[in-house]
Amino acid sequence: MRTNIDIDDALMAQAQKASGCATKKQTVEEALRLVIKLRRQREVDAAFGKYRWRGNLTRSRKGRGVA
């Protein structure tokens, strides 16, 4: 998708340096991936403790070599 946006030059330069990306396109795409990843992590964190796990931890660990 081709999109024209006005991005602060100093901000873009900092982002490119921090990410190690060679191009502005790579930098923006990496930033978008990071936003998605962080939002998904936030959703998982918000769900923590809301669901009850039912199972036998000792039994599930057998066969995996973990005691």
Side-chain angles (χ1 to χ4, degrees), residues 21 23-35:
C21 294
T23 67
K24 291 178 182 179
K25 179 182 177 184
Q26 289 173 338
T27 304
V28 171
E29 288 178 351
E30 181 67 21
L32 292 172
R33 286 185 199 94
L34 180 59
V35 167

Side-chain angles (χ1 to χ4, degrees), residues 44-55:
V44 169
D45 286 346
F48 184 77
K50 291 186 178 181
Y51 301 98
R52 183 177 171 157
W53 181 72
R54 295 180 185 173

Side-chain angles (χ1 to χ4, degrees), residues 2-43:
R2 188 173 240 342
T3 303
N4 292 323
I5 56 175
D6 186 22
I7 300 174
D8 180 270
D9 289 333
L11 182 62
M12 178 58 76
Q14 286 180 328
Q16 273 188 271
K17 185 176 179 180
S19 68
C21 294
T23 67
K24 291 178 182 179
K25 179 182 177 184
Q26 289 173 338
T27 304
V28 171
E29 288 178 351
E30 181 67 21
L32 292 172
R33 286 185 199 94
L34 180 59
V35 167
I36 292 166
K37 183 177 181 177
L38 291 173
R39 292 292 177 164
R40 287 181 179 160
Q41 287 177 354
R42 188 182 296 171
E43 290 170 7

